Structure formats: structure tokens, C-alpha cells
């Protein structure tokens, strides 16, 4: 804090992928949220550029403080982390909304002060130092924005902050990361949604892809997938077909219906089928899938198939 006050913190300006950055934090905090049986959702508006110019480390610090607090003070319900473009094109609005304990109205201003906690029992029950929000406010200011909170005791809190960050126009035309494959062609980084009820399978695919350019987001069943699909921008969906709650056929159908209603182009969906039987494949295609891979999926096959969706001509 004193470093910031003394002006000894320099902001970096470099290109980073917003979805990747938020995903990193969510995957770390997701474990804690899971333990508390609280849902941790992210919602990155489709109108945001994929790559931004700014200081990802400072941004992460603020998000980590807010998400950490939200989990600490929430015992049931959900936490929603969202990002959208402000009407002023160069500002981005981040929101962390929880359904936790809430904060008394007369404490709302003071929680941003150093060493301030909403009530004296907080340290006893939850620990903490009362410095997180003071640091967050200063960092947000440094990034050209403001932080505010709305809250109701017993119902939850919503922290919002803005930061001034431009789209990285130097990247590929649509602002995505890419890697040259051969002359005239590039492999773009894709945001991929992996839908599979088996944790082992999700881990396996994650391991297959750990050295790739792509960002992987996960859903445990069709319902979860549809919710995530509506809130985020994905370039590709990997869909297991047999799942509890809502299977891959139904999930694909409602994704397609939703895309058509919104006039959005079909996102490629690769079905993971249990057998390579013709009828099975046809059933996936009829539901709206673009493509299929037979399980168990092999690393090379998966990587190559994904690459076929990521390769583009560089001109
Ligand atoms: P710390 O979490 O270390 O106590 P912070 O500066 O991050 O310090 O937060 C200050 C106080 O604001 C907290 O002690 C708590 O009383 C209140 N607070 C912050 N975030 C939330 C939240 N999401 N829900 C309820 N209270 C919160």
C-alpha cells in the first residue's frame, strides 16, 4: 500500500488475453467455492476484444481480492464474475456479485479504508486484515478507473470497478493470439468449452492440451454447458454425449436454437461418441453437432482435429 502511495508502482502495458486471465483465477478459486458448495460463474461479454493492452498482474490482484472476499463471505448460492465494455469504448467494467452475508449500509463507504472491516467480529470469524479493498481501490485508480459496491445485509454484495484498457490492435485482425504454422497460414488461439461429466476425462483432455495455444473452460453437463455458452464467447465446443442432468444431444439442440434466435453463426461442436457406429454419428449430426470423435480420444487425434478449426490463412 505504501509503495502505491509513494508512486513506486509502475503499471505495465502489455497484451494479454482477458478470458485466459479470468479463467486462471476462477480455476484456482473454483476449488474453494466447490468445497463451500457455492457456484462460481464467469461471464465475459461477447463484445469485448479477446486481447487487451494493460497490466494483467494488477488487474489480477484486484480480481483476486474481490473474488477471495466473495467466497469468504458467501455460504450459499453463487458468485458471478463478469466483464463488459463500458459505453466509453476504452473502459471495461468488471463486476463480482455474491449472494453472501452482505454489508450494512453505514459501513459501505468505510470498508475501502485501510484496516477497516465491516464489523468487529469479522476478524474473529473470517480472519483478514482489512487491507484488501484499500489496495484494490488504489490499484483501480492507478488503472484509470473507480471501484464501488452495492450491498444488502443478508442478501449479498456486488463490487464493480472500471479500468481503462484498449483492445490490442497489433494482434491478428480479430485480436486473437496466433502461431505461424507454415507460409501464409496461422493457428489461432481458440476459446474452447469442454463438456464432460467425468472429472477424469476432463483432466485427461486438459493434460493433452496443456502446451497448446488454446484456452479451455469446463462444464460438467449439458445444463451447465448451456449456461456457460450463453455467457461467454467460445470458438469451439467439445461435447460428451452421455451425461447426467442434460445429455450432449439436448445441450447441442438448445445451443443451436439459442444461436438461431440470436442470429449468431453456428459454433463448431465436436461430439465425443462412445462408438464410431454410423447411427450414433448420425444422431449427433442430427442434433446439430458439426463433427465427431470416437472415445477414448487420443491426444494426437484431438490436437489435430482442434487445429483444423484453428488454422486460417494469415491474409
Ligand atoms: P479483509 O477481507 O482482509 O478483512 P478487505 O479490505 O478485503 O479486508 O475487506 C474489508 C471488509 O469489507 C471485510 O472485512 C468485510 O467486512 C467487508 N467485505 C468485503 N467484501 C465483502 C463481501 N463480498 N461480502 C461481505 N463483506 C465484505
Amino acid at each position: 500500500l505504501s509503495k502505491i502511495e509513494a508512486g513506486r508502482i509502475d503499471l505495465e502495458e502489455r497484451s494479454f488475453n482477458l478470458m485466459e486471465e479470468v479463467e486462471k483465477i476462477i480455476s484456482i478459486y473454483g476449488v474453494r467455492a466447490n468445497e463451500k458448495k457455492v457456484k462460481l460463474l464467469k461471464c465475459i461479454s461477447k463484445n469485448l476484444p479477446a486481447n487487451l493492452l494493460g497490466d494483467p498482474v494488477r488487474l489480477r490482484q484486484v480480481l483476486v481480492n474481490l473474488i477471495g472476499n466473495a467466497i469468504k463471505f458467501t455460504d450459499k448460492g453463487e458468485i458471478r464474475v463478469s466483464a463488459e465494455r463500458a459505453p466509453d469504448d476504452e473502459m471495461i467494467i468488471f463486476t463480482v456479485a455474491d449472494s453472501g452475508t452482505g454489508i450494512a449500509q453505514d459501513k459501505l463507504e468505510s470498508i475501502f479504508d485501510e484496516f477497516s472491516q465491516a464489523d468487529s467480529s469479522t476478524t474473529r470469524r473470517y480472519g483478514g486484515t482489512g487491507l484488501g479493498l484499500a489496495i484494490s481501490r488504489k490499484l483501480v485508480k492507478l488503472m484509470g478507473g473507480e471501484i464501488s459496491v452495492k450491498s444488502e445485509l443478508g442478501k449479498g454484495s456486488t463490487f464493480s470497478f472500471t479500468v481503462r484498457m484498449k483492445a490490442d490492435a497489433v494482434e491478428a485482425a480479430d485480436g486473437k493470439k496466433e502461431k505461424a504454422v507454415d507460409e501464409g497460414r496461422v493457428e489461432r488461439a481458440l476459446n474452447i468449452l469442454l463438456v464432460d461429466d467425468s472429472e477424469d476425462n476432463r483432466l485427461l483432455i486438459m493434460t493433452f492440451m496443456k502446451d497448446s495455444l488454446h484456452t479451455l473452460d469446463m462444464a460438467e453437463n449439458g445444463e451447465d454447458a448451456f449456461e456457460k455458452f450463453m455467457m461467454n464467447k467460445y470458438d469451439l465446443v467439445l461435447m460428451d454425449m452421455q451425461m447426467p442432468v442434460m445429455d450432449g444431444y439436448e445441450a447441442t439442440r438448445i445451443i443451436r436454437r439459442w444461436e438461431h434466435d440470436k442470429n449468431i453463426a453456428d459454433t463448431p461442436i465436436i461430439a465425443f461418441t462412445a462408438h464410431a457406429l454410423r447411427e450414433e454419428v448420425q444422431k449427433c449430426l442430427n442434433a446439430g453437432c458439426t463433427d465427431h470423435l470416437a472415445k477414448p480420444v487420443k491426444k494426437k487425434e484431438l490436437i489435430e482435429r482442434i487445429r483444423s478449426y484453428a488454422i486460417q490463412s494469415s491474409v
Side-chain angles (χ1 to χ4, degrees), residues 14-76:
R14 65 176 163 96
S15 174
F16 68 96
N17 182 288
L18 180 64
M19 187 88 134
E20 219 169 84
E21 213 46 62
V22 176
E23 189 53 44
K24 252 189 252 166
I25 306 171
I26 299 247
S27 64
I28 295 167
Y29 279 94
V31 180
R32 181 85 189 95
N34 245 337
E35 281 167 9
K36 293 188 84 176
K37 304 226 171 344
V38 171
K39 262 195 185 177
L40 181 55
L41 303 167
K42 80 163 190 297
C43 177
I44 311 282
S45 162
K46 294 184 199 299
N47 67 12
L48 273 175
N51 286 337
L52 296 172
L53 277 178
D55 192 330
V57 176
R58 300 302 166 202
L59 175 66
R60 194 184 312 151
Q61 213 169 339
V62 178
L63 282 169
V64 158
N65 274 332
L66 297 185
I67 296 172
N69 277 344
I71 293 179
K72 187 156 85 170
F73 295 106
T74 305
D75 290 324
K76 60 176 189 322

Side-chain angles (χ1 to χ4, degrees), residues 8 27 81 109 120 143 158 193 205 226 236 274 288 293:
R8 282 182 22 226
S27 64
V81 182
E109 266 310 305
S120 50
M143 290 187 280
T158 300
L193 177 65
I205 305 277
F226 183 54
L236 180 66
L293 275 174

Side-chain angles (χ1 to χ4, degrees), residues 227-245:
E227 199 169 333
K228 291 196 162 138
F229 190 87
M230 287 189 295
M231 295 195 295
N232 298 286
K233 187 159 79 181
Y234 297 109
D235 305 297
L236 180 66
V237 179
L238 303 174
M239 180 82 82
D240 186 27
M241 298 319 270
Q242 259 80 44
M243 287 182 293
V245 187

Side-chain angles (χ1 to χ4, degrees), residues 135-146:
I135 293 178
S136 300
R137 182 166 65 177
K138 297 226 181 318
L139 288 174
V140 165
K141 239 185 166 161
L142 210 59
M143 290 187 280
E146 274 167 39

Side-chain angles (χ1 to χ4, degrees), residues 171-306:
E171 296 280 340
D174 62 352
K176 289 199 166 261
K177 274 204 294 192
E178 58 183 36
K179 185 172 90 186
V181 182
D182 54 35
E183 228 174 289
R185 292 195 312 161
V186 289
E187 181 175 359
R188 292 190 313 145
L190 304 181
N191 283 322
I192 301 176
L193 177 65
L194 168 65
V195 193
D196 201 316
D197 58 310
S198 148
E199 194 178 355
D200 289 345
N201 284 344
R202 292 198 304 267
L203 274 176
L204 185 71
I205 305 277
M206 210 163 84
T207 317
F208 285 174
M209 295 188 49
K210 74 177 190 331
D211 297 322
S212 78
L213 281 174
H214 314 298
T215 319
L216 201 60
D217 201 357
M218 317 265 189
E220 290 179 24
N221 57 56
E223 207 174 87
D224 189 17
F226 183 54
E227 199 169 333
K228 291 196 162 138
F229 190 87
M230 287 189 295
M231 295 195 295
N232 298 286
K233 187 159 79 181
Y234 297 109
D235 305 297
L236 180 66
V237 179
L238 303 174
M239 180 82 82
D240 186 27
M241 298 319 270
Q242 259 80 44
M243 287 182 293
V245 187
M246 183 192 286
D247 66 19
Y249 304 100
E250 183 59 18
T252 303
R253 276 192 288 270
I254 61 173
I255 285 178
R256 290 297 181 233
R257 211 175 304 140
W258 184 81
E259 285 175 330
H260 297 167
D261 287 349
K262 298 250 169 232
N263 241 329
I264 299 173
D266 285 10
T267 306
I269 300 179
I270 304 180
F272 289 160
T273 54
H275 328 272
L277 290 179
R278 259 235 325 265
E279 304 85 88
E280 182 73 23
V281 170
Q282 198 54 50
K283 204 171 147 196
C284 296
L285 299 179
N286 288 347
C289 293
T290 326
D291 201 349
H292 63 92
L293 275 174
K295 291 213 291 188
V297 182
K298 292 187 195 65
K299 179 174 175 178
K300 191 160 174 272
E301 210 181 359
L302 179 73
I303 298 286
E304 271 171 16
R305 191 66 61 88
I306 293 175

